[in-house]
Amino acid sequence: MRVRSLTLAILLAVAGPVFADEKPLEQDLYKARPLVIIAPSTADPTLRGLNKALEDPATKKAFDDRNLVLYSVAGMIGKRDDKFLEQQTTMALIREFKFSAKDTVATLVVLVGKDGTQKIIEHTGTVEPKTIFDAVDALPAAEKAIVAPTVAEQKQAASAPPKDGKQAKPAKPAKPLSPPKPLED
């Protein structure tokens, strides 16, 4: 019985990261512009200054008008718009930028466009909302015109015939599984 428990524990420890979100920013692709701040701690002046600035209704409205979504990682704790992320999602977010949170001394501020392009916002200690808004406003017109595909467009693309004109073969039906063998103790 102990062997089974140990085997299950090892399997879960190894397979856990496999089931984690590999790309947490994909949920915002073509919909919003993630602003990612990776800071060494919650006391970081860049992170605290931006959170304080977003308490102002005018700044928050300008933030929302530009379709920005704030991802913050302080130490090993991640948030998306002040909602905590799971630990595996936070680690996947850090890995996405090929950046180790424990090795950081400076705060990293990255603006991700709707199309997934990344732009590091340079700063000295703190970053003003105006700097972020200027970076968004400086994006090319093609990036600003991106809209998320509708459900109908996604279904149409999935049911469209392949471009080479060949029809795909239908999948073979799966064989029914045999009943499991009883365990022997």
Side-chain angles (χ1 to χ4, degrees), residues 24-26 28-37 66-69 71 93 96-97 109-121 132 135-136 139 143:
L25 297 178
E26 279 186 359
D28 295 315
L29 195 63
Y30 302 116
K31 296 175 190 168
R33 293 180 185 94
L35 178 67
V36 182
I37 299 176
R66 288 171 174 84
N67 291 332
L68 288 167
V69 176
Y71 283 87
L93 183 64
E96 195 165 332
F97 293 103
V109 180
V110 181
L111 175 66
V112 181
K114 285 184 179 181
D115 57 354
T117 58
Q118 299 176 2
K119 180 181 184 331
I120 295 177
I121 297 178
I132 296 166
V136 172
L139 292 172
E143 197 277 340

Side-chain angles (χ1 to χ4, degrees), residues 64-133:
D64 292 339
D65 288 345
R66 288 171 174 84
N67 291 332
L68 288 167
V69 176
L70 179 63
Y71 283 87
S72 61
V73 177
M76 295 293 172
I77 301 169
K79 290 184 180 182
R80 179 186 188 273
D81 282 340
D82 284 334
K83 293 182 180 125
F84 287 98
L85 297 173
E86 292 180 2
Q87 188 68 30
Q88 292 175 340
T89 305
T90 302
M91 293 300 113
L93 183 64
I94 293 170
R95 279 192 305 271
E96 195 165 332
F97 293 103
K98 313 233 182 328
F99 187 75
S100 174
K102 70 177 183 176
D103 296 334
T104 183
V105 175
T107 302
L108 178 70
V109 180
V110 181
L111 175 66
V112 181
K114 285 184 179 181
D115 57 354
T117 58
Q118 299 176 2
K119 180 181 184 331
I120 295 177
I121 297 178
E122 300 295 328
H123 61 90
T124 55
T126 61
V127 63
E128 295 295 322
K130 184 179 180 345
T131 308
I132 296 166
F133 299 153

